Amino acid sequence: ESLNTLIKSFYTLALIELHVSYSLLVMQCSASVDILLLLDGSYSIGKRSFERSKHFAGKLCDALDINPDRVRVGVIQFSSTPQLEFPLDSYLTKQEVKEKIKKIVFKGGSTETGLVLKYVLRKSFPGGRNSSVPEILIILSDGKSQGNVAIPAKQLKDRGTTVFAVGVKFPRWEELHTLASEPTEQHVLFAEHVDDAANGLYSTLTGSAVCSAVSPGCKIESHPCERKTLETVKELAGNYMCWKGSKRPNAVHTSLCPFYSWKRVLIKHPARCYRTTCPDPCDSQPCHNGGMCIPEGLERYHCVCPVGFGGDASCAPKLSLECGVDLLFLVDSSSGTTLEGFLRYKAFLKRFIQAALSKDSLANVGVAQYSNDVQIPIKVGEYKDALSLMKSIDTMHFSGGGTFTGKALRYVMQHGFKSAPAFADVHDDLPRVVVLLTDSESRDPVVEAAKYTRGRGLFLIGVGSDFLRAELDDVTGNPKRTVVYSNPQDLFNKIPELQKKICSFALSFPGCQSQALDLVFALDASAGVGRENFLQLRSFISSSSLQFSINRDVTQIGLVVYGSRARTAFALDAHVTSAALSQAISQAPFLGGSASTGRALLHIHDDVMTVPKGARPGVSKAVVLITAGSGTEDAVVPAQQLRSNGVSVFVVGIGGVRRDTLLRIAGSPNYLMHLSSYDDLRNYKDAILERICEEAKSPVNLCKPNPCLNEGVCVLGNGSYRCECRGWEGPHCESSKAR
């Protein structure tokens, strides 16, 4: 949750920054106005801060429509003496002005702000126009002038010049307020807040009618900000004995004297700043699934989508092979398909992998090719990333020869799903799917070969030309598993249909894909089970979870591991994709110690299978307890509490555990499965899941578990429920009553 909050905060801050930048780009002061920048180039500023001042001056130019007939800009650098860098009529475009500002060289010297103000009073605005054009003076300084600034500043303002004072480094704000026009809070800016200060300049000029009015829907608003000073403060360090003279001869007087130290302190001064904000196309939040909206002008936008999204401009889900499956493509490489057809199939495979195989995909993909004989150049699961898979497909060569599809089906049944060496120790029990790509009739019988292959648990999907439909139906055994295309280019349009068929048939093995279910596994992680057996149990849960459609609307799965104490590995609503769920299961810890099954079930009752922790009202609920038998004596009562609260309790006992104890926990033989060894889990997985799915179809009580918070009472009625609250209010008694 903290990670999600951090990500959301980052996106929010990024959007605020983008919005400010967007305002500067699309809103510019466009009027006949002369703007003279005074850059403090004294030693008190220093070369580094002078460069920052130049950067800020360039940013100010972004908020100005620089043009000979509209805004003109000139620059004077001042220190011991003023130096005209360029007059207002020298450069006629924004880019020229910004480039010249970048090339200004730091002078150094004392800070004679009063002197440069007198220079402007005497020479006016160099290169400026007649008095009918408003004059804006922007002073960038640290406010540490060597002489008096109040009198020349007042004379300038009395003459009608608008003065902005921009603090640089750690300025003396009282001097900047003396320099600036009224109201000072709108004419004093802080260069450290580059974008905000430039936007504030635009806001003030617009509000004073110097610049053209803001666009429809835009508004000028104030917001709290901070300005900094670095000050030297005197602190009492302590009292020490000191010696003083005495009127008496041969006598010395002693007393405690204070001792002071001096240190520099950064002091923050609260202030009000101003900015102009405008509505933009991102205000309607057009980007879905966590996408970040970036405006492009006043009406257009584009979305930056998270990984796994971007199927359209608003971040719809991409085509993705989310189901867990061992997938083998069987590609016809015979003369009947021709070299052109074989190359087309290679291009199709690459396009399919690129579109449907994300980096978090649970699918293991392999490729075989056949003609007279069968080759398996890419073993199932050999590559886990799309790029490596596509590179390997590029190395496949056309073989020519006869089309023996029946022979190829028998071969891949026997040899196609042997794990690649890198995954030889992995037993994931994923459903196995063969996708046949062919464009020519088989020379050998396919019906019996296909029945043989399907009878041993392989799902067959046929993809080919329309004239091969009958033969493909014989291969698949079901027209719904056949994909045909009318012309070569139409083949590539079949990628979404193929993806849907792969996951449709794979996920129907056996699973319950459309039934809403909140399911919690309680996994014995005690020393009695042992680390090796625990890993086997964890693998069983991982493969079982693949048979469910994991999302907020269908199946939610939580996991509790227990020894002497119970620990929530993850809550019901923690993971919304199969990939994320599988990753979380693999990280569930082995605890060791003695086992207390009762504590685990009580923990699930009190802290897992509850509405605040993700359980959904009106959804079937089940707990699957997997135990080796030790520590089960205290589990009967907590199991009964769960059942009373509308939660089914399935018990899977392994080894020499007492059956009568397990039966009391399960409450009925229909909820008990007793296995002789851990290896039997693989053989009974389908039966266990089928029983869970049957139970999920049973009617549910909307008030169990209680959806009402803070001891509210759930009352059923008219196919729904309501909460009667005591001292609280809201639909679920979630809000405290105001007193």
Side-chain angles (χ1 to χ4, degrees), residues 725 727-738:
C725 308
W728 299 78
E729 58 186 8
H732 295 91
C733 308
E734 69 274 11
S735 303
S736 178
K737 281 188 176 180

Side-chain angles (χ1 to χ4, degrees), residues 493-565:
N493 299 329
K494 299 297 180 180
I495 289 177
E497 182 182 350
L498 177 59
Q499 182 268 340
K500 185 176 180 181
K501 289 186 184 297
I502 290 170
C503 283
S504 172
F505 294 118
L507 291 174
S508 63
F509 177 79
C512 40
Q513 294 305 303
S514 59
Q515 188 65 40
L517 175 66
D518 286 342
L519 176 62
V520 176
F521 286 96
L523 186 57
D524 190 339
S526 67
V529 170
R531 189 177 297 275
E532 284 190 12
N533 291 331
F534 172 77
L535 295 179
Q536 199 166 347
L537 294 178
R538 200 169 67 181
S539 176
F540 166 78
I541 292 175
S542 182
S543 63
S544 297
S545 68
L546 296 173
Q547 314 310 319
F548 297 92
S549 180
I550 305 299
N551 60 63
R552 293 272 189 256
D553 299 319
V554 187
T555 301
Q556 295 187 149
I557 292 182
L559 175 61
V560 170
V561 293
Y562 70 93
S564 57
R565 294 184 178 181

